[in-house]
Amino acid sequence: MTTLPKFLLLLTLLIMGAYVNHNAASRMEQQRRRQQRMAKLKANATAEDYAFMKKVLNMSAAFTDAANDAPPTSLVVKDGKVIGEGRDRSAQLIDPSAHGEMEAVKAACNYSGATTLEGSVLYTSSKPCPMCLALLYMVDVERIVYYMPSDTTQMKAANASNRRVSEALKQDPAYRPIPELVLQPSDLEKFAGDDGWIKR
C-alpha cells in the first residue's frame, strides 16, 4: 500500500472516530440537560401535586381487576378542584380511544363548558401515550404530572408501542408504515358527476 492510500485510510478512520465521539458526547449532554430539567421540575412540585397523585393511584388501585391489573387513571384539576376524572375503559368499551386521560379531559370539558383547559393540571397514573399527549396539547393544559413505577417492565412495553407512533410521525407521510393516500380537488374531478358531487 502506497503512502497516499494509507494516509487517506488513516484520515477516514480519524474522521469516523471523531464523528462517533461527537455523537456520543452530544447524547450525553442531552441526557445531562434532561436530568437537570426533570430535577428542577421535581424540585418545584407542590404538596398539592403529591396529594392529587396519591388520589390518582388510590383510584387506580380501587379498580384493580381479577388479573391484578390496575387501569391507568387520570384527574384534571383546576384551582385545586377536580373538574374531570377518568380511567382506562378501552377493553370494557371495546374503544381504543377510551384511555384514562381522554375520559378525564372529556369530563373536564363538559364540566367547564369549553374545549380548552387552560390553567388545568392533568394527573395520571401512567405515562400518557402519543394519542393522549396530543389531546393534552390541543386542550392546552398547563402541566402534566404522571407516575413512573419503580418496576419499569410495563413501562418499557408501553414505550415500545409509543416509539412506533413517534417514529412514524417523524417521517414524511409518503414513507410512513401505514400508507397515507392524499387526494386533492384535481384528483377528484374525474369522479365528479354533472352536479359536482362525487359519483358513487
Side-chain angles (χ1 to χ4, degrees), residues 6 28 62 89 124 134:
K6 287 182 178 179
M28 290 178 63
R89 298 194 297 161
T124 183

Side-chain angles (χ1 to χ4, degrees), residues 76 105 117-122 136-144:
V76 176
V105 166
L117 297 172
E118 295 99 332
S120 299
V121 181
L122 185 285
L136 294 172
Y137 272 90
M138 289 177 68
V139 299
D140 201 21
V141 297
E142 183 176 288
R143 287 191 303 134
I144 301 167

Side-chain angles (χ1 to χ4, degrees), residues 46-118:
T46 65
E48 186 175 89
D49 288 332
Y50 289 102
F52 281 117
M53 180 54 67
K54 183 177 180 180
K55 181 178 178 66
V56 163
L57 295 176
N58 287 339
M59 288 173 57
S60 181
F63 291 111
T64 300
D65 60 21
N68 204 34
D69 290 329
T73 305
S74 304
L75 293 175
V76 176
V77 176
K78 185 172 184 179
D79 298 328
K81 178 181 179 181
V82 175
I83 62 172
E85 62 179 63
R87 71 178 190 278
D88 190 319
R89 298 194 297 161
S90 52
Q92 177 185 349
L93 300 178
I94 316 179
D95 178 357
S97 70
H99 289 193
E101 297 93 334
M102 306 286 273
E103 299 288 293
V105 166
K106 290 177 184 177
C109 287
N110 285 334
Y111 176 86
S112 61
T115 55
T116 57
L117 297 172
E118 295 99 332

